[in-house]
Amino acid sequence: MPLAYSLPTDLSPATVVNASSLLRIVALALISGAAIASRLFAVINFESVIHEFDPWFNYRATRVLASEGFYEFWNWFDPTAWYPLGRVVGGTIYPGLMATSGVIYSILHGLNLPVDIRNICVMLAPGFSALTAWSTYMFTKEMKDESAGLLAAAFIGIVPGYISRSVAGSYDNEAIAIFLLMFTFFLWIKALKTGSAFFGTLAALFYFYMVAAWGGYAFITNMIPLHAFTLILMGRFSSRLYVAYSSWYAIGTLASMQVPFVGFQPVRTSEHMAALGVFGLLQIIAFAELVRAHVSSKQFQRLLYASVIGMGILGGLAIVGLTYKGWIAPWTGRFYSLWDTGYAKKYIPIIASVSEHQPTAWPSFFMDLQLLIFVFPAGVILCFRELRDEHVFVIIYAVVASYFAGVMVRLMLTLTPCVCVCAAVAFSSVLDTYINPVEPDAVEEEAETAGDGAVSASSTAVSTSSGSATKKGKKAAPAAQPGPLGGLVSTVSAVVSTKKGEKSRGIFGGDTRLAVLLNALGMLLFFVLHCTYVTSSAYSSPSVVLASTNPDGSQHIIDDFREAYYWLRQNTPETAVVMSWWDYGYQIAGMADRPTLVDNNTWNNTHIATVGKAMSSSEEVAYPILRKHDVDYVLVIFGGLLGYSGDDINKFLWMVRIAQGVWPDEIQEPNYFTAKGEYKVDDGASNTMKNSLMYKMSYYRFAELFGGNQAVDRVRGQQMPKIGPTLDYLDEAFTSENWIVRIYQVKKEDPLGRDLRTANAFEQGKRRKRSKPVARRRAIV
Amino acid sequence: MLLPLLALLFAPLCLAASFQTDHAKLVQLAASSNGVIRLDEHSYKLLTNPKRTWSASVQFTALDKKRRCGPCKDFDPNWNAVAKAWSTVPAAERDNHFFGTVDFDHAMSIFQQLGLQSAPVVQVLPAVEGPRRPASGRSNPIALDFSGGFDAAPLAEQLSRHTPVPIPYKAPIDYSRIASGLFVLLSFVAALRFISPILKSRWTWAAITIITSLIMTSGFMFVRIRGMPYNGPNGQWIAGGYQTQFGQEVHVIAMIYGTLAGGFLMLTLVVPNQLSPSRQRMQIYLWTGVIFVMYSVLVSIFKEKNRGYPFRLLL
Amino acid sequence: MSTWSVARWLQLIQHWQLRKRCLHSSAMVSPWRFLSFLGFAAAALAKSSTGNSVLVVLDPGSSRDNFSRFFDGLEARGYELTFRTPKDAHPAVIEHDHPEYSHVILFAPESKTYSSDITPQSLVTLLSKNTNLLIAVSPKATPLTSLAAEFSLILPPPGTPLVSHFPERDTPATVIPVDVSPSNPVLSGSLPPVWFSGVPFAFNSNPHIVPILNAPPQSFAADSDADSGADAVVEAADKGGEGLWAGSSLGLVAGFQTLGGGRATWVGGVDLFSDEYAQKPTLDGNKPGNEQFAADVAAWTFQETGVLRVDGSTHHHVNETTPRDRYTINDRVTYTLRVSKYNPTSAEWEPYSGIDGMQLEFTMLDPHIRTALQPTPGVPGEYSLTFRVPDRHGVFKFNVDYKRKGWSYLQSTTVVPVVPPRHDEYPRFLSPAWPYYAGAISTSAAFLAFCALWLAGDSAEPKKSKSTKSD
């Protein structure tokens, strides 16, 4: 059998195996290195700082955990959040992340490595990304083979879709969740393949870890049952499936109920019912199988199947009934909004208002996954070609995840691993085909054309549906020609080629190989460039610190947020309550260490609506609200000077909407638009808009800044009136360098019991008009 | 046609008419046009009597073809449906709240005097006097917002806050849809026997899977949720900007993705089965070329969307 | 000598520590008590609780001799009086935003112009910095007229003094004997009528006003003392131009207690304090009440009488003594407030248990508990209450807000978080949970039994079971 290029023949098989495993280890190590390194742009460009919003809370919680120990953390009641309601933190968070870094912290200190907890938090995500690469490698190995695994690991290591949530400093649940997701899936596949309760239990334990770490665990909770159910439908029920699923579900559910925040949800809410139902179905079917094995009457089996199906349907109906009765809570809003996409905007504006809950346009897909996004369908097809149980899993995963990713930007994260796996399968099979030196002998067997390749493939796949790759490998080895690399080569090619067409498949000539391989390598190279570019440019900026480029191209750091937060920390009493829109709650709590009214854990709609009302109503209306909540300072974000578009005026309409949801007849959205229905802040702005607290606080003394020239709001691109708004109930306390953060102090009541407006008028020496005594009685003439 | 005449008929009377007769007339008008009074200048004055003891909700719209007001057309049927639902409540309550429609072309002056620039607008006029006078005592009209969309259900819900009794609006059951659904289901079950081989074939499923994921990953849901147009004005089909896209892009991008994936599959699955070296070589170069070209097309399109993107292939 | 100083020093230090604890325990003590303590520590001999330096601004026309009885009375009570006219700039009332005197008497109702340091604004500043004001106005329109409006006192149009033709007497109609209401918190007991001449003022609704002397029912404000004036007033009232300037609803002397604690008293006519009126016999030939009245008004204004303060507040779990930094829901908590009253005779703060109707609110957004805070029997000056914390976690406040006319306001706020029970504070064993316990126990027992049987059994049936399993 001819070879396209010659292989060294003087190598012992042992050497080949060792060398390949060594190479594999080296490759994995390098991949991990690359994964970590490419996530350090953020630290290099800026500094070792916690990013964005939620991470600040996680960081704060972790500090508590590290300093006070786990029990204190578990019982932590935070009186400074949601003032004055307070927040029972221990019961309302997924503690997995904090626990992880807490453990790492104590281990390092146990080794007398005095590492600051902040650095652990900053570096956690990159560290876990390496682990993710490894678990993806394991997972893909189960799908195809080691080479595909390595490719997948490399992909997930540097793909922006995952980097976006795991750069150094973005200390969020997703940082560890993706690793857990992949590893749980790997263990599940392993358990399913080997049918061992041991791996099932391991899967359950990691599932528990996942539950403790991320709300997205519902994805696993529904993926695995879906997989099992599909297998049953495909008539692939086996004792291995039974053992794997039962052990995973029983232990996993019990374990997950230990997380305080989850509690009894696994048996009370619809999100978890699929798992329960499949569990029941499996029991019934297992029982049926058992009976079938012992009873051999045809009619009886029919009866049995009928009854099984009947019971299954009954079970389903029972769940539905319970839901209607209210024993089982229906879908929660966030979950439901995935199906009925209009739901959130109508009924839960808080969810709809979050930017990462918006649907995804195709450029973001391409930005995040680049070539993987179009290679992965090929991978899916390859999975279909030999349809083993684990391939079914990947296929389902691909469909579901791509739908979710289309609906919500943030769910791109769950799509990414699957895409990496499939793309890796596709890519590695291309490489296998074209690296494999074996050339087919050009016999004119026109009988077997491309067409029956598929047919035969299908037949083999069915026959070896339950068989495993190793079996194939063994079959293939003797068929290969003598030669030390032969075993390796043919195992490689075995996956691509089918047993029947084996000797007659292959590529002729070296140039063709060269062309394809060069093309493939070129694409991979491009992929690497793309990832590096995207990571460094788009995903590495901690939104706490903004960067702009000066005219001369040098980088200019805009640090207003921290400037303002530290001002609060150093110039206000410990107990001073700061009111701001909820986006900044965690940052204020984390950096300024001051009580806040609302923050990013948006559990109390009414409280948020209260803040929205205060912001969107006039001073006189807002003042009593502020006093009632003991607000000392009000903080607003204003981008008008710098052109920072993420400021509060742009979020203002959401505040109005949320407030309107609670006080429909006091706050009405249309009043904030001009008669033409435009959203304006200049002279043409509606009066309600001009009198709203938010507007006044944003543009207070803004016009003066331009020294008589026309004041221009650079975000809205509108010309502001010469005479800015005036404030009677608030004092400007602090405005940051670029005016991004403005802090106002709420005035105390007037000692003479006047309302603050008249008090101000008096201070400015305005004469008030003489008032008259009220005539207490009519005069009799 | 008839209503203006009717109003004209009333005009002389109304000028002299006392308060009760105003109300009676309104009731009659409402009854005559199943619940919705088609208002003109005069009857509008009648309805917005400064001493009114009744409340009213008025729709300002422009239904005429030449106004080309799409929302108006969407909204009008819902409005009438709600009004119809209201006309079913007992007269004692019904006559305390009226529904009216002001069409731009019948009563331009009202639009002018209210300074309305856009349509449709719904205003609720609370009662000024009498038992149903709101506690806040506000008498100026309250504008409804359409943030909930134009659907009848939220509209009825919003209006019910101002009517004496909640509007008994129920969404009509769409029998046709149910019927069609049932039909499809039954036909499917019936055909199950014949199409079962198709269903059993993995490649049907493969096709479904691939098509689904291709469409989803090329931004179908975005277009659907945001209700983006198929293509922009003056026939451009690429929406400028990184965060948005037109309906047509879904097709184009999905096709490009499909082609690229297809190229890979050909190279992997089909090409190796080709046993004549020359033809195989042809295929290989062909598909390699296709992949390369398509890829560079894709990149260039992406560059269209995201100007700052520094890389490019071929074009 | 040294020993004395050391002793005094220690004493001061103790004072400070006590003071600090009080402040700490009540987060939002209104500042004036703090200041007043300083004043107290500085000049322990002063009659007033806020210091003894008084600036008297007199019209150039009237000399101090016209008011010698009043001023001598003050000096006799230990005040240091400094005199100046409105025009001269020294000594300034307030310098570098720091009040130079504890009390200011403005007996310059006639003068239209003041030196730059006395403006309505600066006077309000003084008041907010806890300097007490005693202000006399006259029918003339002066800067003070506009100031009065800020205290929601409405002065009649210029040149309309108070006029009364009853009772029949030989004095002009603008010099009026006014009966003093006996039940006034500011005045000491019942006084004989006082002579008054000047302007009345009407009150806007303002809770801080303390009416001290009201006009006689039959008096009215008019620009002429002819009888026809009465009709003029009524017509004016009917025309709705001016209100009705007549009757006992008008005030002649009114105190004003600011939120900050400073006190201001407005007097319709300066002559009320004059020696002339003090000696002028009343219609029944007795000595008028003017002197005593003036003394009482000054005493109240200069924070000698009716001065209360919160010495501090503590709270603790019902069977503990030290305050906790947080309470669990449904705890029983005891709240204690210590109040003392200033005693002008001994110039000491004495514990005071005489307050009734003081209420404690336990507030988060809204008061969850509002109940009477009774004096503790046996312990002078201590008010305490034991109650059950509501079944609601959050940041609560112990709130005491006691405002009564004639008394200085008592305000105390203490913030304390109320938290849900810890993980180990829930009941460990629940009787309703028996089915679950039974389930767990039976399962484990069954498992043990199975293991035993399986290990004991021979190797026949495992093979069989495997064969059934494998396909």
Side-chain angles (χ1 to χ4, degrees):
Chain A
M1 187 181 265
L3 288 183
Y5 54 91
S6 64
L7 296 166
T9 53
D10 51 359
L11 292 171
S12 75
T15 331
V16 174
V17 175
N18 297 345
S20 60
S21 61
L22 175 64
L23 281 178
R24 234 175 276 130
I25 292 167
V26 173
L28 268 177
L30 289 177
I31 289 170
S32 316
I36 295 175
S38 68
R39 282 163 170 75
L40 296 186
F41 278 112
V43 176
I44 296 165
N45 292 351
F46 299 94
E47 63 186 281
S48 167
V49 62
I50 302 287
H51 289 195
E52 295 192 330
F53 306 106
D54 292 20
W56 272 103
F57 170 75
N58 300 334
Y59 170 52
R60 186 156 154 261
T62 314
R63 270 200 320 231
V64 173
L65 176 61
S67 58
E68 317 233 330
F70 185 73
Y71 280 115
E72 285 314 307
F73 173 66
W74 187 1
N75 294 308
W76 182 25
F77 176 85
D78 183 1
T80 66
W82 292 91
Y83 185 91
L85 304 176
R87 175 182 177 189
V88 186
V89 178
T92 57
I93 55 163
Y94 294 100
L97 184 69
M98 301 88 183
T100 310
S101 30
V103 167
I104 297 175
Y105 179 78
S106 45
I107 288 178
L108 288 180
H109 280 243
L111 301 175
N112 298 326
L113 295 172
V115 182
D116 176 14
I117 185 74
R118 194 188 83 240
N119 293 326
I120 293 178
C121 295
V122 170
M123 292 302 163
L124 193 72
F128 266 84
S129 70
L131 287 177
T132 312
W134 173 69
S135 56
T136 312
Y137 164 77
M138 300 300 277
F139 184 82
T140 319
K141 205 172 94 204
E142 298 300 322
M143 292 298 137
K144 188 166 172 291
D145 55 8
E146 287 83 353
S147 53
L150 285 178
L151 263 177
F155 286 156
I156 194 95
I158 61 171
V159 68
Y162 175 34
I163 285 188
S164 63
R165 295 314 204 83
S166 65
V167 293
S170 78
Y171 176 58
D172 211 343
N173 294 338
E174 288 89 341
I176 65 174
I178 294 306
F179 159 67
L180 295 171
L181 186 79
M182 280 323 274
F183 202 69
T184 318
F185 282 158
F186 160 69
L187 287 171
W188 160 249
I189 294 299
K190 196 82 180 164
L192 184 62
K193 268 182 163 180
T194 60
S196 84
F198 171 68
F199 277 106
T201 315
L202 276 185
L205 290 182
F206 272 85
Y207 171 68
F208 163 64
Y209 192 0
M210 174 73 176
V211 173
W214 192 34
Y217 74 91
F219 186 63
I220 302 185
T221 324
N222 290 301
M223 266 306 292
I224 292 182
L226 189 55
H227 182 211
F229 189 62
T230 321
L231 288 181
I232 293 170
L233 286 187
M234 294 168 76
R236 292 192 180 184
F237 173 82
S238 64
S239 54
R240 290 176 289 105
L241 174 62
Y242 179 75
V243 173
Y245 189 85
S246 304
S247 49
W248 168 76
Y249 181 72
I251 300 175
T253 306
L254 284 179
S256 67
M257 287 166 83
Q258 306 311 312
V259 179
F261 191 26
V262 175
F264 277 90
Q265 282 179 22
V267 291
R268 296 299 303 276
T269 60
S270 303
E271 289 93 327
H272 302 76
M273 278 308 126
L276 181 59
V278 171
F279 183 64
L281 193 60
L282 271 174
Q283 307 311 319
I284 300 171
I285 292 176
F287 175 70
E289 291 288 322
L290 187 67
V291 176
R292 190 171 61 118
H294 294 283
V295 185
S296 61
S297 136
K298 207 92 180 73
Q299 301 85 343
F300 182 76
Q301 287 183 18
R302 285 236 183 74
L303 185 72
L304 196 64
Y305 271 119
S307 58
V308 165
I309 295 170
M311 284 161 84
I313 294 171
L314 280 183
L317 289 181
I319 290 182
V320 173
L322 284 175
T323 316
Y324 275 114
K325 289 288 287 180
W327 287 83
I328 300 173
W331 306 98
T332 56
R334 284 166 198 271
F335 207 82
Y336 190 77
S337 57
L338 281 180
W339 305 111
D340 176 358
T341 45
Y343 179 84
K345 191 175 186 315
K346 246 182 236 164
Y347 300 105
I348 22 181
I350 290 185
I351 293 182
S353 70
V354 179
S355 65
E356 62 185 10
H357 289 166
Q358 306 308 318
T360 321
W362 77 266
S364 3
F365 276 104
F366 189 79
M367 188 80 156
D368 282 355
L369 302 167
Q370 224 242 0
L371 64 84
L372 307 183
I373 197 65
F374 58 77
V375 178
F376 100 102
V380 175
I381 291 287
L382 287 176
C383 291
F384 264 105
R385 197 144 167 285
E386 42 168 329
L387 204 55
R388 292 204 308 270
D389 296 354
E390 57 267 34
H391 294 126
V392 178
F393 183 82
V394 176
I395 290 159
I396 299 169
Y397 190 174
V399 179
V400 176
S402 51
Y403 170 74
F404 285 163
V407 175
M408 267 194 202
V409 173
R410 76 183 294 181
L411 291 183
M412 177 84 70
L413 199 60
T414 52
L415 175 64
T416 309
C418 163
V419 166
C420 290
V421 171
C422 295
V425 168
F427 239 104
S428 72
S429 19
V430 170
L431 297 184
D432 289 338
T433 320
Y434 289 85
I435 289 174
N436 180 2
V438 183
E439 274 194 333
D441 33 17
V443 285
E444 281 66 34
E445 297 173 358
E446 293 309 322
E448 35 189 290
T449 51
D452 74 83
V455 178
S456 58
S458 63
S459 62
T460 48
V462 173
S463 67
T464 64
S465 63
S466 60
S468 65
T470 58
K471 206 159 79 200
K472 266 174 142 353
K474 276 197 225 69
K475 278 222 190 63
Q481 84 293 357
L485 279 182
L488 183 61
V489 166
S490 51
T491 41
V492 166
S493 57
V495 184
V496 188
S497 61
T498 65
K499 291 200 303 303
K500 184 143 154 294
E502 188 168 340
K503 51 184 140 358
S504 62
R505 282 178 56 101
I507 306 300
F508 299 92
D511 56 339
T512 54
R513 287 189 165 75
L514 203 62
V516 174
L517 292 182
L518 281 183
N519 190 13
L521 290 180
M523 291 173 85
L524 289 180
L525 183 66
F526 184 17
F527 178 65
V528 172
L529 291 177
H530 172 89
C531 292
T532 324
Y533 159 72
V534 173
T535 310
S536 60
S537 69
Y539 291 140
S540 293
S541 69
S543 63
V544 181
V545 185
L546 309 172
S548 73
T549 46
N550 296 339
D552 62 356
S554 67
Q555 194 186 41
H556 172 59
I557 295 290
I558 297 165
D559 207 355
D560 282 33
F561 286 99
R562 289 194 294 174
E563 182 191 352
Y565 293 143
Y566 289 142
W567 182 88
L568 274 175
R569 177 189 277 274
Q570 285 157 4
N571 299 282
T572 63
E574 289 273 324
T575 56
V577 179
V578 181
M579 180 175 100
S580 76
W581 190 234
W582 59 264
D583 299 21
Y584 314 103
Y586 279 162
Q587 290 186 347
I588 294 171
M591 283 188 259
D593 189 22
R594 292 287 175 270
T596 57
L597 254 60
V598 293
D599 61 30
N600 311 48
N601 141 281
T602 55
W603 64 274
N604 185 328
N605 186 14
T606 317
H607 215 52
I608 292 182
T610 312
V611 174
K613 184 184 175 188
M615 292 286 197
S616 50
S617 47
S618 65
E619 277 187 278
E620 293 80 1
V621 182
Y623 188 67
I625 301 176
L626 301 183
R627 298 295 299 177
K628 184 177 179 185
H629 292 74
D630 304 335
V631 176
D632 299 310
Y633 292 89
V634 185
L635 179 145
V636 294
I637 305 299
F638 173 64
L641 178 62
L642 205 64
Y644 170 63
S645 62
D647 68 350
D648 276 345
I649 290 287
N650 280 359
K651 295 172 184 168
F652 188 38
L653 280 183
W654 284 111
M655 309 184 198
V656 174
R657 274 177 207 138
I658 293 170
Q660 183 179 15
V662 180
W663 292 279
D665 25 7
E666 293 179 59
I667 307 287
Q668 273 137 5
E669 187 179 349
N671 304 348
Y672 294 83
F673 291 103
T674 59
K676 288 197 179 61
E678 304 160 296
Y679 183 62
K680 301 185 82 160
V681 294
D682 57 7
D683 272 328
S686 73
N687 280 333
T688 326
M689 181 73 182
K690 279 182 173 165
N691 293 329
S692 65
L693 198 60
M694 173 55 72
Y695 180 90
K696 285 186 163 187
M697 288 191 295
S698 294
Y699 294 108
Y700 182 61
R701 297 184 55 221
F702 181 61
E704 300 172 18
L705 192 61
F706 291 75
N709 303 340
Q710 179 54 256
V712 179
D713 179 324
R714 292 220 177 82
V715 176
R716 264 67 59 179
Q718 301 180 9
Q719 304 202 326
M720 302 310 300
K722 281 264 190 294
I723 311 302
T726 60
L727 284 168
D728 287 320
Y729 293 79
L730 300 171
D731 281 329
E732 182 178 12
F734 175 82
T735 296
S736 63
E737 182 189 356
N738 303 297
W739 283 52
I740 288 185
V741 186
R742 308 196 66 182
I743 301 175
Y744 291 85
Q745 182 166 25
V746 180
K747 280 187 188 167
K748 295 270 170 284
E749 271 117 351
D750 175 61
L752 300 187
R754 305 164 292 184
D755 66 20
L756 287 169
R757 174 153 311 209
T758 43
N760 252 14
F762 170 71
E763 279 305 316
Q764 293 148 8
K766 295 207 188 76
R767 297 197 61 84
R768 70 157 70 184
K769 65 170 184 53
R770 290 190 66 251
S771 51
K772 315 281 188 305
V774 279
R776 284 195 180 69
R777 55 183 171 208
R778 304 294 311 150
I780 304 113
V781 184
Chain B
M1 271 301 65
L2 180 143
L3 291 172
L5 288 176
L6 201 64
L8 282 177
L9 191 76
F10 282 135
L13 308 171
C14 293
L15 296 179
S18 82
F19 189 66
Q20 274 68 19
T21 53
D22 281 1
H23 187 255
K25 250 185 241 76
L26 286 169
V27 173
Q28 185 188 354
L29 277 173
S32 63
S33 56
N34 61 33
V36 191
I37 310 175
R38 304 246 167 265
L39 292 163
D40 54 13
E41 284 86 353
H42 169 68
S43 49
Y44 183 76
K45 203 178 275 91
L46 210 62
L47 185 68
T48 60
N49 184 321
K51 284 204 185 39
R52 58 179 180 274
T53 58
W54 58 84
S55 60
S57 42
V58 182
Q59 167 205 23
F60 299 85
T61 182
L63 289 171
D64 194 308
K65 287 278 174 298
K66 61 178 179 293
R67 304 282 167 220
R68 287 206 304 287
C69 169
C72 304
K73 287 188 179 49
D74 302 344
F75 180 61
D76 193 50
N78 300 331
W79 175 256
N80 294 333
V82 173
K84 196 160 175 42
W86 176 247
S87 63
T88 63
V89 305
E93 308 293 352
R94 183 183 63 219
D95 299 344
N96 285 329
H97 187 90
F98 297 103
F99 282 77
T101 294
V102 178
D103 193 320
F104 183 72
D105 299 287
H106 293 138
M108 237 170 265
S109 65
I110 301 177
F111 273 73
Q112 282 154 4
Q113 86 191 47
L114 294 181
L116 290 175
Q117 312 280 6
S118 63
V121 172
V122 170
Q123 285 186 351
V124 176
L125 312 158
V128 183
E129 287 174 1
R132 295 205 37 250
R133 183 166 185 279
S136 61
R138 69 175 288 173
S139 61
N140 49 335
I142 305 159
L144 260 57
D145 67 327
F146 291 121
S147 60
F150 286 134
D151 302 348
L155 175 70
E157 184 189 338
Q158 271 186 309
L159 285 178
S160 296
R161 279 204 293 272
H162 308 289
T163 52
V165 292
I167 301 175
Y169 175 80
K170 281 187 206 57
I173 308 158
D174 188 349
Y175 290 106
S176 62
R177 168 179 284 176
I178 296 174
S180 55
L182 275 177
F183 175 74
V184 169
L185 188 68
L186 289 176
S187 51
F188 178 79
V189 172
L192 200 52
R193 179 177 303 279
F194 310 105
I195 61 170
S196 59
I198 309 176
L199 288 184
K200 287 228 181 68
S201 150
R202 70 180 63 181
W203 297 114
T204 32
W205 292 104
I208 296 172
T209 314
I210 296 305
I211 291 170
T212 323
S213 46
L214 278 182
I215 289 185
M216 290 305 165
T217 50
S218 48
F220 172 71
M221 287 317 284
F222 180 89
V223 174
R224 172 109 181 292
I225 294 172
R226 289 292 173 79
M228 298 301 285
Y230 183 73
N231 51 16
N234 59 61
Q236 63 175 10
W237 61 275
I238 295 185
Y242 168 62
Q243 287 300 351
T244 170
Q245 68 175 105
F246 286 135
Q248 193 166 353
E249 295 180 51
V250 176
H251 301 189
V252 177
I253 299 303
M255 212 138 67
I256 296 179
Y257 286 174
T259 324
L260 286 162
F264 271 84
L265 284 174
M266 293 308 266
L267 285 178
T268 326
L269 300 181
V270 180
V271 168
N273 295 331
Q274 174 57 263
L275 291 179
S276 91
S278 54
R279 290 162 67 181
Q280 195 190 49
R281 177 165 286 106
M282 289 289 294
Q283 271 183 315
I284 291 176
Y285 282 119
L286 168 69
W287 288 118
T288 317
V290 166
I291 291 177
F292 194 65
V293 173
M294 274 306 183
Y295 194 15
S296 36
V297 170
L298 181 58
V299 172
S300 62
I301 296 181
F302 182 69
K303 231 169 134 60
E304 273 302 307
K305 308 283 288 188
N306 183 359
R307 297 287 178 183
Y309 193 63
F311 307 111
R312 54 190 290 278
L313 300 168
L314 284 186
L315 33 111
Chain C
M1 168 56 195
S2 64
T3 55
W4 174 85
S5 66
V6 168
R8 176 99 183 98
W9 181 237
L10 286 177
Q11 194 185 346
L12 265 182
I13 287 171
Q14 281 158 1
H15 273 306
W16 272 109
Q17 281 159 349
L18 169 93
R19 195 58 222 164
K20 282 219 209 67
R21 222 174 294 120
C22 296
L23 274 177
H24 178 68
S25 70
S26 61
M28 285 176 41
V29 214
S30 56
W32 74 266
R33 270 187 275 102
F34 189 53
L35 292 175
S36 69
F37 172 79
L38 280 181
F40 167 51
L45 286 180
K47 286 304 190 174
S48 159
S49 61
T50 60
N52 58 353
S53 58
V54 183
L55 178 74
V56 185
V57 180
L58 270 181
D59 264 339
S62 63
S63 80
R64 90 160 269 179
D65 308 339
N66 307 2
F67 307 96
S68 57
R69 282 164 170 273
F70 176 57
F71 290 136
D72 296 347
L74 286 182
E75 265 168 350
R77 300 226 302 279
Y79 288 100
E80 302 157 0
L81 305 185
T82 317
F83 290 83
R84 62 167 269 201
T85 67
K87 295 265 189 344
D88 46 15
H90 294 292
V93 184
I94 177 168
E95 254 175 340
H96 313 121
D97 220 13
H98 174 266
E100 300 293 324
Y101 296 90
S102 326
H103 318 285
V104 175
I105 301 180
L106 278 174
F107 275 180
E110 308 286 313
S111 69
K112 285 201 173 333
T113 57
Y114 289 87
S115 71
S116 61
D117 64 333
I118 302 183
T119 64
Q121 282 73 10
S122 73
L123 289 177
V124 171
T125 318
L126 277 176
L127 201 53
S128 63
K129 290 178 181 301
N130 194 33
T131 302
N132 307 308
L133 305 178
L134 177 56
I135 306 176
V137 289
S138 71
K140 282 221 178 76
T142 67
L144 297 180
T145 324
S146 71
L147 178 60
E150 301 303 317
F151 293 78
S152 37
L153 303 175
I154 312 164
L155 290 173
T160 59
L162 187 71
V163 177
S164 171
H165 300 282
F166 306 96
E168 194 64 38
R169 62 187 187 281
D170 54 1
T171 61
T174 55
V175 179
I176 309 162
V178 186
D179 297 332
V180 182
S181 79
S183 68
N184 193 308
V186 173
L187 304 177
S188 60
S190 65
L191 299 176
V194 296
W195 288 106
F196 175 86
S197 79
V199 285
F201 26 69
F203 300 123
N204 267 346
S205 63
N206 185 328
H208 304 306
I209 295 180
V210 185
I212 300 176
L213 187 67
N214 279 18
Q218 62 276 60
S219 66
F220 56 90
D223 44 11
S224 79
D225 52 9
D227 279 351
S228 63
D231 302 339
V233 173
V234 174
E235 280 153 18
D238 284 347
K239 287 201 205 73
E242 295 297 334
L244 181 65
W245 294 98
S248 58
S249 66
L250 297 181
L252 304 180
V253 178
F256 193 96
Q257 169 82 48
T258 63
L259 277 179
R263 288 175 174 177
T265 302
W266 289 76
V267 183
V270 69
D271 298 338
L272 181 65
F273 295 88
S274 66
D275 300 355
E276 179 196 354
Y277 281 23
Q279 288 144 325
K280 185 185 183 70
T282 51
L283 299 182
D284 48 16
N286 300 347
K287 191 168 176 300
N290 286 46
E291 189 164 5
Q292 183 57 33
F293 182 85
D296 287 347
V297 167
W300 183 83
T301 312
F302 297 165
Q303 296 194 26
E304 287 180 35
T305 58
V307 183
L308 298 172
R309 77 166 186 216
V310 172
D311 286 338
S313 68
T314 64
H315 51 86
H316 56 81
H317 203 271
V318 72
N319 44 24
E320 292 170 7
T321 55
T322 56
R324 285 192 187 178
D325 58 352
R326 61 186 47 202
Y327 294 103
T328 313
I329 56 175
N330 297 328
D331 277 356
R332 291 196 66 78
V333 174
T334 304
Y335 176 80
T336 315
L337 183 78
R338 289 196 313 285
V339 176
S340 62
K341 176 172 183 286
Y342 182 73
N343 177 348
T345 52
S346 66
E348 292 275 336
W349 289 93
E350 295 167 350
Y352 182 64
S353 299
I355 303 177
D356 60 346
M358 183 154 62
Q359 286 184 323
L360 170 70
E361 287 180 351
F362 196 57
T363 308
M364 183 183 70
L365 290 182
D366 308 313
H368 285 51
I369 291 177
R370 180 191 283 136
T371 172
L373 193 57
Q374 304 291 5
T376 326
V379 190
E382 189 173 287
Y383 301 77
S384 73
L385 175 71
T386 302
F387 62 96
R388 186 176 68 83
V389 172
D391 185 359
R392 171 88 174 81
H393 60 73
V395 182
F396 280 81
K397 285 184 295 189
F398 296 100
N399 230 339
V400 173
D401 185 358
Y402 179 80
K403 292 193 173 77
R404 293 293 183 276
K405 284 201 185 305
W407 294 97
S408 48
Y409 300 153
L410 291 180
Q411 280 171 321
S412 162
T413 305
T414 313
V415 179
V416 57
V418 174
V419 305
R422 292 174 58 89
H423 68 283
D424 51 5
E425 286 175 346
Y426 292 99
R428 272 260 173 263
F429 184 90
L430 299 173
S431 51
W434 255 114
Y436 304 97
Y437 301 139
I441 295 165
S442 58
T443 311
S444 31
F447 179 69
L448 284 176
F450 168 77
C451 296
L453 287 176
W454 186 71
L455 293 171
D458 63 353
S459 64
E461 83 268 74
K463 198 179 292 129
K464 186 149 154 290
S465 69
K466 197 188 290 141
S467 64
T468 55
K469 226 194 209 100
S470 61
D471 52 33

